[in-house]
Amino acid sequence: MIKTFEEIVKKAESLPPVTVAVAAAADQEVLEAVRDAQQRGIARFLLFGDKAKIEAISKEIGLDFDESAVTDVSSPVQASQQAVAAVRAGRADVVMKGMVQTADFLRAVLNKENGLRSGNVLSHVATFEVPGYDRLIHVTDPALNVAPTLQEKVQIIQNVIRFCHSLGNTDPKIAALGAVEVVNPNMPPTLDAAALAQMNRRGQIKGATIDGPFALDNAVSVEAAEHKGIQSPVAGKADVLLVPDIEAGNILYKSMVYFAKSKIGALVLGATAPVVLTSRADTHEAKMYSIAMAVLQAEYLKRSKEESV
Ligand SMILES: CCCC(=O)SCCNC(=O)CCNC(=O)[C@H](O)C(C)(C)COP(=O)(O)OP(=O)(O)OC[C@H]1O[C@@H](n2cnc3c(N)ncnc32)[C@H](O)[C@@H]1OP(=O)(O)O
């Protein structure tokens, strides 16, 4: 089972490189990630954005690319649409968000006629390598689904289960979070968490061990769980934190980065192709790790498709 981002990059290096279409690529952190991914041989790139700016930044940071790899597009919305179109046309395997607002980029991905919808719920996962932790922690969904229903949470969980399997974790421990570890009818996330745990016990959701509700402390700290007398295979040992809504998830994401100094990578799951989606403020290292995660996802999707034929 993969436990660090360096292991993810190493694994990506052993796989065939993917082609990534970058939407609104004229940004230093984005292009540094492109340079680093290119140097490690994990991806090739098609860049959509302000060509003059892309060329100027590339010269400064020592990024080489073929002239034909850049498409001059001035608006970030159009750059997103064209990057998604490149994936649909089979010219790229992965689409990546650059300097464009998340909602604008996601609208291109979700577009009914020209997007990358699969018929399932698309969801976001952020993966963290937290200093002092012995494993990667995955948080879902901090960036796409605003206030998911129980049924949507089922699909968000199914997406993250497949994602964990692609990282070699065949039985991820999933904690459905709330503010407390007991069911409280006044706190709807605790009701959803209990229902999801039961759906897992009864075989309605397979491929993972799910329990909840948990507060954050007893999901990630064995000591905190023992202190509260919680008996569960997930207590203190969660790999995945299912958050109740986008606010909780986004605040957790930014806390992990700014307070805990975690390394991070992030993807949208459930689309017809992997989608790299980090915050515009995230570092080039975070964007490079996300590209490496997308390489593993692309390989996993390809293998699953071949096995289902
Ligand atoms: C964490 C790092 C980066 C960040 O910090 S991100 C910051 C926070 N995130 C955001 O601002 C984005 C949050 N999400 C949104 O704003 C909206 O959900 C989003 C993605 C813009 C879509 O909203 P709208 O444009 O209002 O569109 P809509 O809700 O009417 O949906 C349009 C069509 O898409 C479909 N759709 C929406 N969400 C989906 C999903 N998760 N999976 C699959 N399909 C989905 C929706 O059913 C609709 O379909 P149809 O056209 O009616 O057939």
Side-chain angles (χ1 to χ4, degrees):
M1 182 165 74
I2 288 175
K3 292 188 171 172
T4 65
F5 278 113
E6 193 46 40
E7 288 175 52
I8 292 180
V9 178
K10 285 252 156 63
K11 175 83 184 161
E13 284 174 331
S14 72
L15 297 170
V18 296
T19 300
V20 182
V22 187
D27 171 73
Q28 177 145 348
E29 295 293 334
V30 170
L31 291 172
E32 283 181 351
V34 167
R35 178 199 60 198
D36 294 352
Q38 226 169 241
Q39 278 171 0
R40 294 198 69 162
I42 62 174
R44 296 184 274 258
F45 292 88
L46 299 176
L47 307 176
F48 296 82
D50 182 328
K51 191 169 184 181
K53 213 166 159 193
I54 290 172
E55 285 175 351
I57 299 170
S58 300
K59 204 167 165 197
E60 223 169 86
I61 65 169
L63 165 65
D64 291 324
F65 51 77
D66 194 303
E67 181 80 356
S68 64
V70 186
T71 304
D72 191 23
V73 200
S74 56
S75 119
V77 169
Q78 282 172 7
S80 303
Q81 290 162 347
Q82 293 194 24
V84 166
V87 175
R88 280 180 67 96
R91 292 197 295 125
D93 310 292
V94 171
V95 65
M96 173 172 170
K97 169 182 172 277
M99 273 308 268
V100 50
Q101 284 197 10
T102 299
D104 288 340
F105 175 74
L106 285 174
R107 283 192 192 100
V109 172
L110 288 170
N111 185 281
K112 206 172 193 169
E113 284 80 35
N114 304 313
L116 302 175
R117 274 159 71 165
S118 60
N120 296 320
V121 167
L122 274 59
S123 54
H124 186 259
V125 65
T127 295
F128 299 94
E129 187 179 324
V130 189
Y133 254 74
D134 63 344
R135 61 189 184 275
L136 293 170
I137 301 279
H138 314 288
V139 173
T140 191
D141 171 340
L144 202 174
N145 291 281
V146 175
T149 60
L150 176 62
Q151 194 48 41
E152 286 163 347
K153 286 178 185 173
V154 170
Q155 292 198 35
I156 290 170
I157 286 180
Q158 281 163 340
N159 286 342
V160 83
I161 289 173
R162 285 191 285 270
F163 169 73
C164 289
H165 290 184
S166 81
L167 297 181
N169 185 352
T170 52
D171 184 18
K173 295 182 174 62
I174 302 182
L177 295 186
V180 290
E181 62 283 352
V182 289
V183 175
N184 180 336
N186 294 323
M187 297 184 187
T190 67
L191 300 174
D192 282 359
L196 291 163
Q198 186 67 347
M199 288 169 92
N200 177 239
R201 275 183 218 114
R202 293 280 157 90
Q204 286 173 266
I205 309 174
K206 296 189 171 75
T209 304
I210 305 170
D211 206 358
F214 286 104
L216 178 65
D217 56 348
N218 39 67
V220 298
S221 159
V222 172
E223 292 75 27
E226 279 173 358
H227 192 70
K228 288 194 174 162
I230 301 168
Q231 309 265 321
S232 160
V234 178
K237 295 183 179 154
D239 302 297
V240 175
L241 304 175
L242 175 81
V243 291
D245 59 27
I246 194 169
E247 279 80 19
N250 205 273
I251 292 167
L252 181 54
Y253 177 121
K254 307 281 159 77
S255 308
M256 292 282 221
V257 174
Y258 289 92
F259 291 145
K261 307 292 175 207
S262 304
K263 292 182 179 178
I264 180 191
L267 294 179
V268 171
L269 308 171
T272 53
V275 177
V276 171
L277 196 158
T278 54
S279 170
R280 276 168 290 168
D282 284 331
T283 61
H284 66 276
E285 191 187 44
K287 295 175 200 300
M288 210 278 280
Y289 291 149
S290 308
I291 294 165
M293 283 161 61
V295 175
L296 270 58
Q297 270 296 292
E299 165 73 12
Y300 182 79
L301 291 177
K302 192 170 148 224
R303 229 180 323 125
S304 307
K305 216 184 260 174
E306 284 166 4
E307 280 166 15
S308 71
V309 172

